[in-house]
Amino acid sequence: MKVDRKRLIQVVQIARRGMGMDDETYRDKLRMQYGVSSTTELTEAQLLELRNELSAGARPNGTRRFRPAAQRSDQRYVYALWGELEREGGAKIAGRPGLQRFLEDQYGKSAPEMMTVQETGKAAEALKAMIRRAKAAKKEQLSAS
């Protein structure tokens, strides 16, 4: 049975959007998984595999957000620390855009996956200091009330 390539690409894109995956994350996934940067560069077999993978996680209303797991533990730790900073109220911009802005401003990198082990270590230490300051400010605010 001949697969309509154009239709298959459309289905993949619909599933990607259904997961709430942005273009940058999607292209990173393509590079890591298939070694290409565009859907049009995939073979039919790869398109079918990708469609099945994305369709399994897609929700019709896009409620599930795609969060790729970082490969190294130090990268995951940076994400976890950013989440803690958000919960403490110390992040000016919430979510991935806030982390991206912080990393670009401080290290010139857009994500922990783009950083060396030394850079993620420095970022982790900076985030821990920010968390301590946020906790102290929160505590001070509570005692002043």
Side-chain angles (χ1 to χ4, degrees):
M1 179 174 109
K2 180 106 167 106
V3 177
D4 182 9
R5 185 175 176 77
K6 185 176 178 182
R7 174 81 175 120
L8 192 54
I9 290 172
Q10 289 173 340
V11 170
V12 166
Q13 293 300 325
I14 290 167
R16 173 186 70 84
R17 287 186 200 100
M19 289 184 70
M21 191 184 305
D22 64 12
D23 287 339
E24 183 179 333
T25 304
Y26 176 68
R27 289 186 189 284
D28 287 343
K29 177 178 180 52
L30 288 178
R31 279 187 210 99
M32 288 185 347
Q33 195 166 342
Y34 301 106
V36 299
S37 62
S38 173
T39 309
T40 59
E41 298 173 26
L42 294 173
T43 65
E44 284 185 12
Q46 290 171 329
L47 281 168
L48 288 168
E49 178 186 325
L50 183 60
R51 180 206 58 191
N52 293 339
E53 181 182 333
L54 293 177
S55 295
R59 301 280 171 97
N61 61 2
T63 56
R64 180 175 174 196
R65 302 295 294 180
F66 179 76
R67 296 283 180 193
Q71 292 182 352
R72 296 189 333 242
S73 62
D74 58 317
Q75 296 165 343
R76 290 190 297 272
Y77 188 50
V78 169
Y79 282 113
L81 287 171
W82 184 260
E84 185 177 347
L85 182 63
E86 285 180 8
R87 286 187 295 279
E88 293 298 330
K92 293 177 184 170
I93 302 171
R96 198 170 275 245
L99 177 59
Q100 182 178 1
R101 171 88 53 89
F102 167 73
L103 294 175
E104 284 175 349
D105 290 349
Q106 299 298 317
Y107 305 98
K109 307 286 175 94
S110 61
E113 291 82 7
M114 309 294 182
M115 300 173 78
T116 65
V117 173
Q118 291 79 18
E119 289 171 327
T120 55
K122 289 178 183 178
E125 292 304 316
L127 287 168
K128 286 192 269 186
M130 292 168 68
I131 291 166
R132 283 192 297 272
R133 288 191 298 271
K135 285 182 179 180
K138 200 176 197 182
K139 191 175 184 178
E140 187 177 305
Q141 213 174 31
L142 288 174
S143 65
S145 320

